[in-house]
PDB file of all heavy atoms in Angstrom:
ATOM      1  N   SER A  85      -1.191  34.409  34.041  1.00 97.00           N
ATOM      2  CA  SER A  85       0.192  34.310  33.589  1.00 97.00           C
ATOM      3  C   SER A  85       0.985  35.572  33.905  1.00 97.00           C
ATOM      4  O   SER A  85       0.419  36.607  34.294  1.00 97.00           O
ATOM      5  CB  SER A  85       0.224  34.040  32.080  1.00 97.00           C
ATOM      6  OG  SER A  85      -0.322  35.146  31.382  1.00 97.00           O
ATOM      7  N   ASP A  86       2.287  35.485  33.695  1.00 96.00           N
ATOM      8  CA  ASP A  86       3.156  36.639  33.937  1.00 96.00           C
ATOM      9  C   ASP A  86       2.740  37.846  33.101  1.00 96.00           C
ATOM     10  O   ASP A  86       2.898  38.989  33.543  1.00 96.00           O
ATOM     11  CB  ASP A  86       4.614  36.276  33.587  1.00 96.00           C
ATOM     12  CG  ASP A  86       5.221  35.300  34.595  1.00 96.00           C
ATOM     13  OD1 ASP A  86       4.797  35.313  35.760  1.00 96.00           O
ATOM     14  OD2 ASP A  86       6.117  34.534  34.196  1.00 96.00           O
ATOM     15  N   SER A  87       2.207  37.581  31.903  1.00 95.00           N
ATOM     16  CA  SER A  87       1.811  38.673  31.020  1.00 95.00           C
ATOM     17  C   SER A  87       0.508  39.330  31.464  1.00 95.00           C
ATOM     18  O   SER A  87       0.156  40.408  30.969  1.00 95.00           O
ATOM     19  CB  SER A  87       1.666  38.163  29.578  1.00 95.00           C
ATOM     20  OG  SER A  87       0.698  37.124  29.507  1.00 95.00           O
ATOM     21  N   THR A  88      -0.194  38.691  32.382  1.00 97.00           N
ATOM     22  CA  THR A  88      -1.498  39.202  32.828  1.00 97.00           C
ATOM     23  C   THR A  88      -1.464  39.701  34.266  1.00 97.00           C
ATOM     24  O   THR A  88      -1.890  40.821  34.559  1.00 97.00           O
ATOM     25  CB  THR A  88      -2.569  38.092  32.690  1.00 97.00           C
ATOM     26  OG1 THR A  88      -2.632  37.657  31.336  1.00 97.00           O
ATOM     27  CG2 THR A  88      -3.925  38.596  33.124  1.00 97.00           C
ATOM     28  N   TYR A  89      -0.949  38.878  35.158  1.00 98.00           N
ATOM     29  CA  TYR A  89      -0.941  39.202  36.588  1.00 98.00           C
ATOM     30  C   TYR A  89      -0.150  40.495  36.836  1.00 98.00           C
ATOM     31  O   TYR A  89       0.969  40.664  36.394  1.00 98.00           O
ATOM     32  CB  TYR A  89      -0.308  38.054  37.375  1.00 98.00           C
ATOM     33  CG  TYR A  89      -0.544  38.113  38.864  1.00 98.00           C
ATOM     34  CD1 TYR A  89      -1.517  37.324  39.466  1.00 98.00           C
ATOM     35  CD2 TYR A  89       0.204  38.958  39.668  1.00 98.00           C
ATOM     36  CE1 TYR A  89      -1.732  37.364  40.831  1.00 98.00           C
ATOM     37  CE2 TYR A  89      -0.004  39.021  41.033  1.00 98.00           C
ATOM     38  CZ  TYR A  89      -0.981  38.219  41.615  1.00 98.00           C
ATOM     39  OH  TYR A  89      -1.190  38.276  42.974  1.00 98.00           O
ATOM     40  N   GLY A  90      -0.784  41.406  37.553  1.00 97.00           N
ATOM     41  CA  GLY A  90      -0.110  42.649  37.916  1.00 97.00           C
ATOM     42  C   GLY A  90      -0.096  43.698  36.822  1.00 97.00           C
ATOM     43  O   GLY A  90       0.380  44.821  37.037  1.00 97.00           O
ATOM     44  N   SER A  91      -0.624  43.353  35.639  1.00 97.00           N
ATOM     45  CA  SER A  91      -0.637  44.301  34.533  1.00 97.00           C
ATOM     46  C   SER A  91      -1.909  45.134  34.568  1.00 97.00           C
ATOM     47  O   SER A  91      -2.990  44.633  34.844  1.00 97.00           O
ATOM     48  CB  SER A  91      -0.548  43.553  33.197  1.00 97.00           C
ATOM     49  OG  SER A  91      -0.725  44.443  32.111  1.00 97.00           O
ATOM     50  N   SER A  92      -1.773  46.419  34.258  1.00 97.00           N
ATOM     51  CA  SER A  92      -2.938  47.300  34.205  1.00 97.00           C
ATOM     52  C   SER A  92      -3.376  47.553  32.764  1.00 97.00           C
ATOM     53  O   SER A  92      -4.136  48.486  32.500  1.00 97.00           O
ATOM     54  CB  SER A  92      -2.619  48.639  34.893  1.00 97.00           C
ATOM     55  OG  SER A  92      -1.526  49.283  34.234  1.00 97.00           O
ATOM     56  N   SER A  93      -2.916  46.718  31.836  1.00 98.00           N
ATOM     57  CA  SER A  93      -3.291  46.904  30.430  1.00 98.00           C
ATOM     58  C   SER A  93      -4.717  46.432  30.194  1.00 98.00           C
ATOM     59  O   SER A  93      -5.234  45.556  30.903  1.00 98.00           O
ATOM     60  CB  SER A  93      -2.335  46.137  29.522  1.00 98.00           C
ATOM     61  OG  SER A  93      -2.601  44.750  29.549  1.00 98.00           O
ATOM     62  N   VAL A  94      -5.351  46.983  29.158  1.00 98.00           N
ATOM     63  CA  VAL A  94      -6.731  46.586  28.852  1.00 98.00           C
ATOM     64  C   VAL A  94      -6.767  45.146  28.337  1.00 98.00           C
ATOM     65  O   VAL A  94      -7.753  44.430  28.538  1.00 98.00           O
ATOM     66  CB  VAL A  94      -7.368  47.543  27.829  1.00 98.00           C
ATOM     67  CG1 VAL A  94      -7.408  48.964  28.380  1.00 98.00           C
ATOM     68  CG2 VAL A  94      -6.620  47.531  26.496  1.00 98.00           C
ATOM     69  N   GLY A  95      -5.685  44.706  27.683  1.00 98.00           N
ATOM     70  CA  GLY A  95      -5.617  43.323  27.217  1.00 98.00           C
ATOM     71  C   GLY A  95      -5.591  42.347  28.381  1.00 98.00           C
ATOM     72  O   GLY A  95      -6.327  41.360  28.399  1.00 98.00           O
ATOM     73  N   ALA A  96      -4.741  42.618  29.358  1.00 98.00           N
ATOM     74  CA  ALA A  96      -4.626  41.744  30.527  1.00 98.00           C
ATOM     75  C   ALA A  96      -5.910  41.718  31.338  1.00 98.00           C
ATOM     76  O   ALA A  96      -6.343  40.663  31.817  1.00 98.00           O
ATOM     77  CB  ALA A  96      -3.454  42.205  31.396  1.00 98.00           C
ATOM     78  N   ILE A  97      -6.537  42.869  31.494  1.00 98.00           N
ATOM     79  CA  ILE A  97      -7.787  42.941  32.252  1.00 98.00           C
ATOM     80  C   ILE A  97      -8.876  42.131  31.553  1.00 98.00           C
ATOM     81  O   ILE A  97      -9.649  41.411  32.197  1.00 98.00           O
ATOM     82  CB  ILE A  97      -8.222  44.408  32.438  1.00 98.00           C
ATOM     83  CG1 ILE A  97      -7.267  45.109  33.416  1.00 98.00           C
ATOM     84  CG2 ILE A  97      -9.664  44.501  32.939  1.00 98.00           C
ATOM     85  CD1 ILE A  97      -7.490  46.601  33.539  1.00 98.00           C
ATOM     86  N   GLY A  98      -8.934  42.208  30.233  1.00 98.00           N
ATOM     87  CA  GLY A  98      -9.914  41.426  29.487  1.00 98.00           C
ATOM     88  C   GLY A  98      -9.700  39.936  29.661  1.00 98.00           C
ATOM     89  O   GLY A  98     -10.655  39.176  29.880  1.00 98.00           O
ATOM     90  N   VAL A  99      -8.446  39.506  29.597  1.00 98.00           N
ATOM     91  CA  VAL A  99      -8.122  38.086  29.767  1.00 98.00           C
ATOM     92  C   VAL A  99      -8.476  37.617  31.172  1.00 98.00           C
ATOM     93  O   VAL A  99      -9.060  36.541  31.358  1.00 98.00           O
ATOM     94  CB  VAL A  99      -6.622  37.835  29.482  1.00 98.00           C
ATOM     95  CG1 VAL A  99      -6.213  36.422  29.899  1.00 98.00           C
ATOM     96  CG2 VAL A  99      -6.318  38.050  28.001  1.00 98.00           C
ATOM     97  N   ALA A 100      -8.129  38.402  32.180  1.00 98.00           N
ATOM     98  CA  ALA A 100      -8.422  38.023  33.566  1.00 98.00           C
ATOM     99  C   ALA A 100      -9.924  37.915  33.799  1.00 98.00           C
ATOM    100  O   ALA A 100     -10.400  36.970  34.443  1.00 98.00           O
ATOM    101  CB  ALA A 100      -7.809  39.049  34.522  1.00 98.00           C
ATOM    102  N   ALA A 101     -10.676  38.874  33.276  1.00 98.00           N
ATOM    103  CA  ALA A 101     -12.130  38.841  33.435  1.00 98.00           C
ATOM    104  C   ALA A 101     -12.726  37.625  32.736  1.00 98.00           C
ATOM    105  O   ALA A 101     -13.694  37.019  33.227  1.00 98.00           O
ATOM    106  CB  ALA A 101     -12.744  40.125  32.869  1.00 98.00           C
ATOM    107  N   HIS A 102     -12.144  37.243  31.618  1.00 98.00           N
ATOM    108  CA  HIS A 102     -12.598  36.045  30.897  1.00 98.00           C
ATOM    109  C   HIS A 102     -12.395  34.794  31.740  1.00 98.00           C
ATOM    110  O   HIS A 102     -13.310  33.956  31.851  1.00 98.00           O
ATOM    111  CB  HIS A 102     -11.829  35.920  29.584  1.00 98.00           C
ATOM    112  CG  HIS A 102     -12.070  34.630  28.857  1.00 98.00           C
ATOM    113  ND1 HIS A 102     -13.064  34.478  27.915  1.00 98.00           N
ATOM    114  CD2 HIS A 102     -11.446  33.415  28.948  1.00 98.00           C
ATOM    115  CE1 HIS A 102     -13.043  33.242  27.451  1.00 98.00           C
ATOM    116  NE2 HIS A 102     -12.073  32.576  28.061  1.00 98.00           N
ATOM    117  N   GLU A 103     -11.223  34.640  32.333  1.00 98.00           N
ATOM    118  CA  GLU A 103     -10.949  33.451  33.144  1.00 98.00           C
ATOM    119  C   GLU A 103     -11.845  33.392  34.378  1.00 98.00           C
ATOM    120  O   GLU A 103     -12.300  32.320  34.782  1.00 98.00           O
ATOM    121  CB  GLU A 103      -9.473  33.408  33.548  1.00 98.00           C
ATOM    122  CG  GLU A 103      -8.505  33.305  32.387  1.00 98.00           C
ATOM    123  CD  GLU A 103      -8.817  32.146  31.457  1.00 98.00           C
ATOM    124  OE1 GLU A 103      -9.368  31.120  31.917  1.00 98.00           O
ATOM    125  OE2 GLU A 103      -8.512  32.264  30.251  1.00 98.00           O
ATOM    126  N   VAL A 104     -12.106  34.538  34.961  1.00 98.00           N
ATOM    127  CA  VAL A 104     -13.043  34.592  36.085  1.00 98.00           C
ATOM    128  C   VAL A 104     -14.430  34.168  35.619  1.00 98.00           C
ATOM    129  O   VAL A 104     -15.193  33.546  36.365  1.00 98.00           O
ATOM    130  CB  VAL A 104     -13.068  36.004  36.694  1.00 98.00           C
ATOM    131  CG1 VAL A 104     -14.228  36.143  37.677  1.00 98.00           C
ATOM    132  CG2 VAL A 104     -11.756  36.306  37.403  1.00 98.00           C
ATOM    133  N   GLY A 105     -14.753  34.485  34.367  1.00 98.00           N
ATOM    134  CA  GLY A 105     -16.036  34.061  33.807  1.00 98.00           C
ATOM    135  C   GLY A 105     -16.220  32.553  33.881  1.00 98.00           C
ATOM    136  O   GLY A 105     -17.338  32.068  34.102  1.00 98.00           O
ATOM    137  N   HIS A 106     -15.130  31.806  33.716  1.00 98.00           N
ATOM    138  CA  HIS A 106     -15.220  30.346  33.830  1.00 98.00           C
ATOM    139  C   HIS A 106     -15.537  29.921  35.265  1.00 98.00           C
ATOM    140  O   HIS A 106     -16.293  28.971  35.485  1.00 98.00           O
ATOM    141  CB  HIS A 106     -13.911  29.699  33.379  1.00 98.00           C
ATOM    142  CG  HIS A 106     -13.685  29.764  31.905  1.00 98.00           C
ATOM    143  ND1 HIS A 106     -14.631  29.355  30.988  1.00 98.00           N
ATOM    144  CD2 HIS A 106     -12.614  30.180  31.177  1.00 98.00           C
ATOM    145  CE1 HIS A 106     -14.144  29.520  29.760  1.00 98.00           C
ATOM    146  NE2 HIS A 106     -12.933  30.031  29.845  1.00 98.00           N
ATOM    147  N   ALA A 107     -14.954  30.619  36.222  1.00 98.00           N
ATOM    148  CA  ALA A 107     -15.250  30.316  37.625  1.00 98.00           C
ATOM    149  C   ALA A 107     -16.719  30.564  37.929  1.00 98.00           C
ATOM    150  O   ALA A 107     -17.371  29.781  38.637  1.00 98.00           O
ATOM    151  CB  ALA A 107     -14.363  31.160  38.547  1.00 98.00           C
ATOM    152  N   VAL A 108     -17.253  31.644  37.375  1.00 98.00           N
ATOM    153  CA  VAL A 108     -18.671  31.966  37.567  1.00 98.00           C
ATOM    154  C   VAL A 108     -19.540  30.915  36.887  1.00 98.00           C
ATOM    155  O   VAL A 108     -20.584  30.506  37.423  1.00 98.00           O
ATOM    156  CB  VAL A 108     -18.992  33.376  37.031  1.00 98.00           C
ATOM    157  CG1 VAL A 108     -20.486  33.662  37.141  1.00 98.00           C
ATOM    158  CG2 VAL A 108     -18.192  34.439  37.786  1.00 98.00           C
ATOM    159  N   GLN A 109     -19.135  30.447  35.719  1.00 98.00           N
ATOM    160  CA  GLN A 109     -19.870  29.388  35.022  1.00 98.00           C
ATOM    161  C   GLN A 109     -19.999  28.145  35.902  1.00 98.00           C
ATOM    162  O   GLN A 109     -21.073  27.548  36.006  1.00 98.00           O
ATOM    163  CB  GLN A 109     -19.159  29.022  33.717  1.00 98.00           C
ATOM    164  CG  GLN A 109     -19.305  30.045  32.606  1.00 98.00           C
ATOM    165  CD  GLN A 109     -18.455  29.690  31.400  1.00 98.00           C
ATOM    166  OE1 GLN A 109     -17.471  28.967  31.499  1.00 98.00           O
ATOM    167  NE2 GLN A 109     -18.844  30.195  30.235  1.00 98.00           N
TER     168      GLN A 109
END
Side-chain angles (χ1 to χ4, degrees):
S85 65
D86 289 332
S87 59
T88 302
Y89 194 101
S91 173
S92 60
S93 75
V94 299
I97 290 173
V99 170
H102 172 91
E103 298 307 331
V104 169
H106 288 309
V108 176
Q109 286 174 337

